[in-house]
Amino acid sequence: MTIAVVGAGALGLYYGALLQRAGSNVRFLLRRDYEAIAAHGLQVYSTGGDFHLPTVSGARTPEEIGPVDLVLVGLKTFANDRFAELITPLLHGTTVILTLQNGLGNEEALAELFGADRVMGGVAYLCANRGEPGCVRHLGKGRVLLGEYGSSDTTRPERIAELFRAAGIDCRAVNDLSRARWEKLVWNIPFNGLSALTRCPVDRLLATEEGRTLVREIMLEVIAAANAQQLSRPIPDTYADDMLRFSASMGPYRPSMLIDREEGRPLELASIFDRPIERGRQRGVPMPRTAMLATCLHLMTGQAPQDA
Amino acid sequence: MTIAVVGAGALGLYYGALLQRAGSNVRFLLRRDYEAIAAHGLQVYSTGGDFHLPTVSGARTPEEIGPVDLVLVGLKTFANDRFAELITPLLHGTTVILTLQNGLGNEEALAELFGADRVMGGVAYLCANRGEPGCVRHLGKGRVLLGEYGSSDTTRPERIAELFRAAGIDCRAVNDLSRARWEKLVWNIPFNGLSALTRCPVDRLLATEEGRTLVREIMLEVIAAANAQQLSRPIPDTYADDMLRFSASMGPYRPSMLIDREEGRPLELASIFDRPIERGRQRGVPMPRTAMLATCLHLMTGQAPQDA
């Protein structure tokens, strides 16, 4: 199977490397890491075992890659306006596009451009970051939930999940992609937002009673909005407590939005904040703390709120 | 009249300079500006006319100043734990202590140390900042509202107000100091808090509909908490709109808490956030947005919330 990785940040490099190691023909669309990878290949430091890929197919343009069977989209969502330019050259008649991006609206944007039947979505729980050029550091976890977006072929998620599992990735297919996305938002909205706003890693957000209380209140707003979206089954409020317990073990983990801020990138506000808030509003679920957090992030960054 | 200025930031330097120019014997407790002022006096740049005081009585310790008739307290409130050390040497039997500091709890702390009957409070609406050492810049406004805290001498605020007016300061005595303090908090809580958190000056906070809405919602929370404090008359909700209109004319004004953050000082969170929130809570008035803003500021600074 030929696979193109578009958006070769930590997530794209790590999963792409695992898929190549397992035998797939993987081609990476690169920018920052192009020269280092061309010269030295790709080095993966992982809690599951380090490895090195001496020969990696990197390209600077999608035209150099050409049509593939599967496009893995790991772009930061603030770059979604480049979908047409970056993905069109990668498509043949039956290419599947799998977005592993954060938040809401990514499948919809891909479907509008390329047709819904090509599009799948996935939710990645991955602690990884890019190291020096040519390296990626996997700090733990790595579960992926895959779901169908627009095809009536209900076996497709399971086939792709099997490909991922064969590469050593903890992966399973789910029948309700929307629910999986909202579940991840229960974590992403408070932790990404508050860490980017206050520059606190996860342990400092949870070090005080008032910090824990605020995180939990925001989680409950997200759960309430999620449960108004006709999910296959509701997310229980106890999920907030499960996530808090899980997060307490993460130590000084820096959520991706904090890293984006520290490295001077735009923040993924449209997909992680604006669209979820708008979906809640459409169903009559107010999210006052989430909305205040979004407003503060808009003010801090100068990024305007996006229409959903 | 002999006056000591303790906390010679922009406010202390500016009002002290005006009082000296009008004939009072003013002594400044200085730190950063000591050498510049000893060498060159004090330069005031003001929208009301620049002036220079060639000879200014500056001291590095309160013992050098000794007992005075009036102590003007302009310290940042995070330094209130230094009251005993800084003010005790300035007192004779009838010395009046007037705090022009921000927020709640300052009169109480002074009364506990020095006796309530000495203590008066004032609320200053002043746009000023320190320039290079030995200079202060007055950018406009400068109204002071003075009120009695602990004395039964109801004529005292008017006498001090007359002293200020004779120095060219727009000043009047009020019979409800608590109400004046809460009125100022209606401005201080949203603008100081949001500007310090997001690094936006006033005009950027008000540049978007969502920013204006958030500021107004926080103002209404403060008004509700204020009106639960047995004020002489309630603060109407329309006061929020008056303040928004007034603030829209301030341009890129940087509230003091933003300047404190940019200059690496602690923030005045206990007096401007923690105590007002606690006073609201005691009277059954929840302030959810104000409390969330306070939590974000505690997280950002690592300053713990203070007991009220």
Side-chain angles (χ1 to χ4, degrees):
Chain A
M1 176 175 273
T2 53
I3 301 175
V5 174
V6 175
L11 178 142
L13 288 174
Y14 177 65
Y15 289 132
L18 289 172
L19 290 163
Q20 173 174 336
R21 187 176 65 163
S24 287
N25 178 346
V26 182
R27 305 167 194 173
F28 297 84
L29 184 62
L30 299 174
R31 202 170 39 180
R32 192 197 75 159
D33 290 10
Y34 180 83
E35 276 158 25
I37 285 177
H40 307 294
L42 176 57
Q43 176 65 44
V44 178
Y45 298 102
S46 170
T47 51
D50 301 345
F51 64 94
H52 180 248
L53 299 177
T55 306
V56 169
S57 171
R60 284 189 193 275
T61 68
E63 288 77 9
E64 293 172 56
I65 296 176
V68 295
D69 302 320
L70 175 66
V71 178
L72 281 190
V73 183
L75 282 176
K76 292 283 181 184
T77 55
F78 52 75
N80 283 6
D81 57 355
R82 302 189 62 202
F83 276 162
E85 162 200 355
L86 296 178
I87 294 174
T88 305
L90 305 174
L91 303 182
H92 59 51
T94 58
T95 302
V96 174
I97 306 173
L98 170 60
T99 166
L100 294 172
Q101 298 170 284
N102 276 319
L104 304 184
N106 305 305
E107 291 88 357
E108 289 81 348
L110 290 165
E112 187 159 322
L113 288 165
F114 308 115
D117 58 340
R118 292 185 184 278
V119 178
M120 291 179 52
V123 178
Y125 289 89
L126 178 68
C127 293
N129 54 53
R130 296 202 289 184
E132 54 279 36
C135 295
V136 61
R137 294 176 186 279
H138 169 233
L139 310 171
K141 311 287 175 193
R143 206 155 94 100
V144 180
L145 304 178
L146 294 184
E148 191 49 70
Y149 175 74
S151 167
S152 55
D153 175 1
T154 56
T155 67
R156 193 165 69 173
E158 187 47 51
R159 290 203 311 276
I160 303 282
E162 181 51 39
L163 176 78
F164 274 57
R165 283 195 296 269
I169 302 166
D170 178 2
C171 183
R172 69 182 172 84
V174 297
N175 61 12
D176 187 349
L177 176 62
S178 177
R179 187 176 192 279
R181 288 227 167 270
W182 278 97
E183 273 196 344
K184 189 171 181 196
L185 286 168
V186 173
W187 195 91
N188 264 343
I189 286 177
F191 283 103
N192 272 294
L194 290 171
S195 70
L197 187 63
T198 68
R199 299 191 109 132
C200 289
V202 167
D203 55 353
R204 275 186 51 210
L205 293 177
L206 297 178
T208 60
E209 178 65 32
E210 64 167 354
R212 290 190 295 274
T213 299
L214 178 57
V215 168
R216 187 168 185 279
E217 286 168 341
I218 295 171
M219 285 178 166
L220 293 176
E221 288 184 2
V222 181
I223 291 172
N227 288 336
Q229 309 296 323
Q230 302 184 292
L231 307 184
S232 54
R233 61 200 161 87
I235 301 173
D237 281 356
T238 53
Y239 187 72
D241 301 301
D242 296 342
M243 281 295 99
L244 278 167
R245 254 191 308 277
F246 164 74
S247 306
S249 70
M250 295 179 85
Y253 181 71
R254 292 151 72 233
S256 62
M257 196 175 278
L258 171 56
I259 295 176
D260 286 340
R261 177 181 174 189
E262 288 180 342
E263 299 189 354
R265 285 189 289 271
L267 306 186
E268 298 187 297
L269 299 182
S271 63
I272 296 180
F273 281 91
D274 302 340
R275 282 189 204 106
I277 290 167
E278 176 60 17
R279 302 273 174 97
R281 197 195 61 74
Q282 287 167 350
R283 302 296 173 105
V285 179
M287 304 172 75
R289 290 178 182 81
T290 308
M292 177 166 163
L293 183 51
T295 297
C296 289
L297 292 164
H298 294 141
L299 289 168
M300 181 183 83
T301 59
Q303 290 176 237
Q306 302 281 304
D307 291 330
Chain B
M1 175 176 271
T2 53
I3 300 174
V5 175
V6 175
L11 178 141
L13 288 174
Y14 178 64
Y15 288 132
L18 289 172
L19 289 163
Q20 172 173 336
R21 186 177 64 163
S24 289
N25 178 345
V26 182
R27 305 169 194 171
F28 296 85
L29 183 62
L30 299 174
R31 201 170 40 181
R32 192 197 74 159
D33 289 11
Y34 180 83
E35 276 158 24
I37 285 176
H40 307 293
L42 176 57
Q43 175 66 45
V44 177
Y45 298 104
S46 170
T47 50
D50 302 344
F51 64 95
H52 180 248
L53 299 177
T55 307
V56 169
S57 172
R60 285 191 193 272
T61 68
E63 288 77 9
E64 294 171 56
I65 295 176
V68 295
D69 303 320
L70 174 66
V71 179
L72 280 190
V73 183
L75 282 176
K76 290 286 181 182
T77 56
F78 51 76
N80 283 6
D81 57 355
R82 302 189 64 203
F83 276 162
E85 161 200 354
L86 296 178
I87 295 174
T88 306
L90 305 174
L91 304 182
H92 58 52
T94 58
T95 301
V96 174
I97 306 172
L98 170 59
T99 166
L100 294 172
Q101 299 170 285
N102 275 320
L104 303 184
N106 305 304
E107 291 87 357
E108 289 82 348
L110 291 165
E112 187 160 322
L113 288 166
F114 308 115
D117 58 341
R118 291 186 184 277
V119 178
M120 291 179 51
V123 178
Y125 289 88
L126 178 68
C127 294
N129 54 53
R130 295 203 289 185
E132 52 281 34
C135 295
V136 61
R137 294 175 186 280
H138 169 232
L139 309 172
K141 312 288 173 192
R143 205 154 95 100
V144 179
L145 304 178
L146 294 183
E148 192 49 70
Y149 176 74
S151 168
S152 55
D153 175 0
T154 55
T155 66
R156 193 166 68 175
E158 187 47 51
R159 289 205 311 277
I160 304 282
E162 182 51 40
L163 176 78
F164 274 57
R165 283 196 295 269
I169 302 166
D170 179 2
C171 182
R172 67 182 173 87
V174 296
N175 61 13
D176 185 349
L177 175 61
S178 177
R179 186 177 192 278
R181 288 227 168 272
W182 278 98
E183 273 196 344
K184 190 172 180 193
L185 286 168
V186 173
W187 194 91
N188 263 343
I189 285 178
F191 283 104
N192 272 293
L194 290 171
S195 70
L197 187 64
T198 67
R199 298 192 111 133
C200 289
V202 166
D203 56 353
R204 275 185 49 209
L205 293 176
L206 297 178
T208 60
E209 179 65 32
E210 63 166 357
R212 289 190 295 274
T213 299
L214 177 57
V215 167
R216 187 167 185 281
E217 287 168 340
I218 294 171
M219 285 179 165
L220 293 175
E221 289 185 0
V222 181
I223 291 172
N227 289 336
Q229 310 295 322
Q230 302 183 292
L231 306 184
S232 54
R233 59 200 161 88
I235 301 172
D237 281 356
T238 53
Y239 187 72
D241 300 301
D242 296 343
M243 282 295 98
L244 277 167
R245 253 191 309 277
F246 163 75
S247 306
S249 70
M250 295 179 84
Y253 180 70
R254 293 152 70 235
S256 62
M257 196 174 277
L258 171 56
I259 295 176
D260 287 340
R261 178 181 174 189
E262 288 180 344
E263 299 189 353
R265 283 188 290 271
L267 306 187
E268 298 187 298
L269 300 183
S271 63
I272 296 181
F273 281 91
D274 302 340
R275 283 190 203 104
I277 290 167
E278 176 61 15
R279 302 272 175 97
R281 196 195 62 73
Q282 287 167 350
R283 302 295 173 105
V285 179
M287 304 172 74
R289 289 178 182 82
T290 309
M292 176 166 164
L293 182 52
T295 297
C296 289
L297 292 164
H298 294 142
L299 289 168
M300 181 182 82
T301 58
Q303 291 176 237
Q306 302 282 303
D307 291 329

